Amino acid sequence: MTAAVGTSLPVITMSSTAAPVTRLATPTAPDWAVIAPFTAAVLGARDGQRLAARVSTAALQRIFGAVLPAAAVFMLVDAVM
């Protein structure tokens, strides 16, 4: 399993690098509607990691327990409307 992970990481890295480089070589403008959510997700993960290091596990579980139903209600309302 370690060998599989070790060999797949360079492939993922090369693929992840080649796609944007190829895209930059084309004359089309970047699609910011696609790029922005991914950028926000990366920044949110980084900030979440910092927060998790400072907040207790119990507090994080309570926060998650409050946010998850709120997100579910929002998605339900959005789907119905």
Side-chain angles (χ1 to χ4, degrees):
M1 183 64 173
T2 304
V5 171
T7 56
S8 67
L9 288 176
V11 171
I12 292 169
T13 303
M14 289 185 289
S15 175
S16 298
T17 304
V21 168
T22 304
R23 176 78 174 170
L24 289 173
T26 62
T28 59
D31 188 358
W32 293 109
V34 173
I35 294 170
F38 286 102
T39 304
V42 169
L43 296 176
R46 184 196 63 191
D47 293 342
Q49 183 180 18
R50 288 184 192 167
L51 179 67
R54 294 187 177 136
V55 179
S56 72
T57 302
L60 288 172
Q61 288 174 340
R62 284 192 304 273
I63 292 168
F64 184 76
V67 170
L68 185 64
V73 168
F74 175 77
M75 291 178 4
L76 180 64
V77 169
D78 188 47
V80 171
M81 298 285 174

